[in-house]
Amino acid sequence: MGIRTLVAMLVVALVVIGALATQESYKVFMPGLLQGAVLTIEIAILGSLLAIVMGVLAALARMYGPAPLKWLATVYVEIFRGTSALVQLFWLFFVLPQFGVTLNAFLVAVLALGLNVGAYGSEVVRGAIQSVARGQWEASTALNMSRPQMLRRIILPQAFVAMIPPWGNLFIELLKSTALVSLITLSDLAFKAQQMNQNTFKTIPIFTLVLLMYLAMSLVVTIGMRLLERRASLGLARGKAA
């Protein structure tokens, strides 16, 4: 699907949200839903940043780190890929205090979702690095580059382009997973919607707005990643031409 189509869908979603927000049966819910959406966006952004950091570090540790680091990175990846994000949220929020470590709900949400997505992201990073043509590795070796120089100047810039589409998918999954944080007392978009529905029983207007708001946020992520991919591909092409 092209960027123009995605932008058109985003515009339509925003126009529909705006149109519904002017109607009496819908506009009463908008302030609370927007407040919840802000919290959802904050968690999604911070969780995504943590996921990127953990994904890159875990991938490099598993590929090039000493044995202890490889072991730690493998344990991290397998635990967070092999267990439910919901269980991870509950464990950090309800179980850690039993060991004397108490974290606030917002921090738990960022940690759990970021670490969960980062575990999947590490495989994206590892696969992208391994997909770089063997000739690039051989040329870097012939130029007598150290491994850090090779990765920083030759391999990672090329692997970065291959990473962008799957990372975009992971960011959208993380955004949708933020709905789980309502179960640890956070008033995110999903929590606000459920609370309003229980108080008013206006199911159709509430969840129609919520659906469109999640769709709009996902489209923003998709468009941003498509633009980033295009720019990175053009930059890589210029670099090869030079």
Side-chain angles (χ1 to χ4, degrees), residues 123-185:
E123 293 301 292
V124 170
V125 174
R126 191 159 67 102
I129 291 173
Q130 292 174 338
S131 72
V132 175
R134 185 175 181 82
Q136 299 294 317
W137 296 89
E138 294 172 350
S140 302
T141 303
L143 291 171
N144 200 31
M145 289 185 177
S146 64
R147 180 169 287 168
Q149 287 178 320
M150 187 187 306
L151 288 169
R152 179 171 54 86
R153 300 175 62 181
I154 305 296
I155 305 303
L156 286 179
Q158 296 182 59
F160 177 70
V161 178
M163 295 179 201
I164 295 174
W167 268 111
N169 292 333
L170 289 175
F171 292 153
I172 291 173
E173 286 300 316
L174 190 151
L175 173 65
K176 293 188 293 185
S177 295
T178 58
L180 297 174
V181 306
S182 62
L183 300 174
I184 57 169
T185 73

Side-chain angles (χ1 to χ4, degrees), residues 8-21:
M9 291 177 62
L10 175 60
V11 170
V12 170
L14 293 175
V15 168
V16 173
I17 291 172
L20 292 176

Side-chain angles (χ1 to χ4, degrees), residues 90-112:
F90 283 173
W91 202 92
L92 291 175
F93 191 69
F94 296 114
V95 178
L96 273 187
Q98 306 301 317
F99 298 96
V101 180
T102 302
L103 304 175
N104 67 60
F106 183 83
L107 181 57
V108 167
V110 172
L111 285 175

